[in-house]
Amino acid sequence: MDASVNRIPSSKDERAFLIGIKTGFEGQKELEYSLEELSMLVKTAGGVVAGTIIIKREKIDPAYVFGRGYVDRIREIVEEKSIRLIVFDLNGIRPAQIRNLEDLLKCRVIGRHEVILDIFARRARSSEAKMQVELAQLKYILPRLKGLGGVLSRLGGGIGTRGPGEKMLETDRRHIQRRIKTLTDKMRRQSRHRETVRKSRAAVITGAVVGYTNAGKSSLINLLAKDDLFVEDRLFATLDSYTRSVYLNPGLSTLLTDTVGFIRNLPANLIESFRSTLEDIARADYLVHVVDITAADVSVNIATVNHELNHIDCGEKPVIVFLNKTDLLDDESIVELTRGDFRDAVSGSVHTGVGIEALKIRIAETVALIEAKTKKITGSENI
């Protein structure tokens, strides 16, 4: 049986205990920020965080992650706080480690990877998003089938178990591979359709709104386009990309596309599955990078987004940085400190509307420059 099988039926609000592992390479603050973010992820997935702990280790134990000496201590916490779920702030937990811990702790054990997959499964609304999530789930499951007899049925549901791909958890490797191929083919057809739509919009300058998850991207597009895209103060509220027309000034408009947010340690197979959505970023003429200025670690969030943009070859595109949520700051000097790395950044708040006109002016200037450059290139080709 698979190590990640849920052996204990879970309630609607799972009580979870979060564990961070410090191996000597990470800084203490960085670990605390990451654990705080994991807490937000678990809450977004419907869980209740009953406690957290950071365990120092020289290296990851191959059998129990944190070493057998900590097992009794964690088991006491599990019994005392009625914990039903242990979540490690790690992506690469091995099936054997999970199985060993579940046998000793008598509760489910998962990693950050599975929590993110669970949230994406909850958030998937369109048929394309559901296919993307299912594809990511199956790619995650497939390499864990070896030696487990292909038995992957869950007994009680809960975080890390739900989603469009859940019915596939009872299938064997061959069936999963067939399903992956079917989904991949469907995604290719979706990608071709997207390409057709993009060509029909080729005459209009298009921008993509990017940023860390929950930075306010959809809210910004709603304000600029006077639309009503789904907005919620939760991580990964938007999985589908939506394109809306924005009028910047009389005679000048642009298209803006809302995109899925980025996050630290985003699973590679999830990025791969959402590649068709990320193509909207790759094909955009310019980017609007929305930054949550109130985030605990703004610089890391910005670096994470830039890293992912470079990963999809978007590092050289014109970027307009918008420092959002300034209305929530007690100390406005934080804005100037952040602006130190982005002298041309526009600061403001989508909620109050402050800075939005300045942002529209900056977008209009960028669009005008791109149009002028495009005309110049086209003109030189015709000579």
Side-chain angles (χ1 to χ4, degrees):
M1 184 171 284
D2 180 17
S4 60
V5 165
N6 176 19
R7 297 178 178 81
I8 302 175
S10 63
S11 60
K12 181 181 178 180
D13 297 319
E14 271 185 304
R15 292 180 60 78
F17 189 76
L18 281 48
I19 301 177
I21 304 295
K22 178 175 173 54
T23 57
F25 301 106
E26 312 90 348
Q28 184 69 22
K29 278 193 174 181
E30 182 182 343
L31 269 173
E32 289 173 358
Y33 287 144
S34 184
L35 208 55
E36 182 180 339
E37 186 173 82
L38 180 61
S39 178
M40 292 176 63
L41 287 168
V42 171
K43 291 174 183 176
T44 300
V48 175
V49 177
T52 64
I53 189 175
I54 295 177
I55 296 175
K56 296 181 180 181
R57 294 281 303 173
E58 289 186 6
K59 60 181 180 179
I60 300 296
D61 185 86
Y64 300 101
V65 182
F66 47 59
R68 186 63 187 265
Y70 275 97
V71 172
D72 291 338
R73 181 180 174 186
I74 300 300
R75 184 162 49 202
E76 288 176 3
I77 294 174
V78 168
E79 294 174 356
E80 179 185 340
K81 298 189 176 185
S82 301
I83 302 299
R84 308 182 75 86
L85 178 68
I86 296 291
V87 186
F88 281 94
D89 194 13
L90 300 168
N91 276 336
I93 304 180
R94 299 172 184 173
Q97 293 169 322
I98 294 174
R99 182 175 57 247
N100 293 340
L101 286 171
E102 287 187 343
D103 287 343
L104 293 170
L105 300 177
K106 307 304 178 187
C107 68
R108 290 195 308 116
V109 177
I110 62 175
R112 185 186 184 96
H113 192 137
E114 289 175 276
V115 178
I116 295 176
L117 281 176
D118 183 275
I119 294 171
F120 271 61
R122 280 172 167 257
R123 297 299 185 189
R125 287 179 173 81
S126 70
S127 59
E128 182 177 14
K130 289 178 181 179
M131 283 192 294
Q132 290 168 326
V133 172
E134 183 177 353
L135 187 60
Q137 287 176 323
L138 295 177
K139 287 182 176 179
Y140 179 74
I141 291 167
L142 189 59
R144 289 161 174 78
L145 281 175
K146 185 177 181 181
L148 299 174
V151 182
L152 288 167
S153 60
R154 303 277 183 161
L155 302 182
I159 296 173
T161 70
R162 61 176 67 83
E166 185 174 353
K167 61 183 180 294
M168 298 307 303
L169 299 177
E170 298 176 356
T171 63
D172 59 14
R173 178 184 296 273
R174 189 166 50 194
H175 194 171
I176 290 178
Q177 288 174 329
R178 283 200 300 266
R179 182 62 179 164
I180 287 176
K181 184 179 185 306
T182 298
L183 288 171
T184 302
D185 291 341
K186 287 183 178 179
M187 294 301 297
R188 287 199 186 105
R189 289 195 291 272
Q190 289 276 5
S191 182
R192 287 196 292 269
H193 173 69
R194 280 179 175 275
E195 187 61 32
T196 301
V197 173
R198 290 191 193 101
K199 287 180 180 179
S200 69
R201 297 169 174 167
V204 182
I205 303 299
T206 302
V209 180
V210 301
Y212 209 75
T213 180
N214 205 34
K217 300 181 296 300
S218 298
S219 296
L220 177 62
I221 289 186
N222 279 343
L223 185 61
L224 292 174
K226 298 180 180 180
D227 208 333
D228 60 349
L229 295 177
F230 178 76
V231 173
E232 189 178 359
D233 187 20
R234 288 290 182 100
L235 304 183
F236 300 116
T238 302
L239 292 188
D240 298 289
S241 59
Y242 297 94
T243 301
R244 297 292 184 266
S245 180
V246 174
Y247 293 91
L248 302 170
N249 58 48
L252 184 62
S253 65
T254 186
L255 293 177
L256 276 181
T257 300
D258 192 16
T259 60
V260 64
F262 295 112
I263 196 170
R264 274 172 278 190
N265 299 320
L266 194 62
N269 58 2
L270 201 55
I271 296 175
E272 183 61 31
S273 297
F274 276 74
R275 183 159 294 280
S276 62
T277 302
L278 297 177
E279 284 175 4
D280 288 318
I281 301 176
R283 301 299 175 87
D285 297 295
Y286 66 95
L287 306 176
V288 178
H289 182 175
V290 181
V291 176
D292 179 358
I293 196 66
T294 68
D297 199 347
V298 179
S299 59
V300 172
N301 291 3
I302 293 173
T304 298
V305 174
N306 289 337
H307 172 78
E308 297 299 341
L309 291 177
N310 288 328
H311 185 69
I312 56 177
D313 299 324
C314 293
E316 301 301 318
K317 290 182 181 293
V319 179
I320 303 166
V321 177
F322 179 61
L323 306 177
N324 190 26
K325 305 185 183 182
T326 56
D327 57 311
L328 300 179
L329 288 175
D330 294 326
D331 183 3
E332 293 188 3
S333 64
I334 296 175
V335 176
E336 295 307 317
L337 287 173
T338 306
R339 196 194 298 275
D341 296 325
F342 307 96
R343 290 294 177 188
D344 295 330
V346 179
S347 60
S349 168
V350 173
H351 180 68
T352 63
V354 173
I356 298 303
E357 287 304 316
L359 177 62
K360 289 175 70 173
I361 291 172
R362 185 65 54 78
I363 294 174
E365 292 172 349
T366 302
V367 170
L369 285 172
I370 293 172
E371 284 185 336
K373 184 177 180 181
T374 303
K375 289 178 181 178
K376 183 177 180 180
I377 293 175
T378 305
S380 64
E381 288 177 348
N382 291 333
I383 296 176

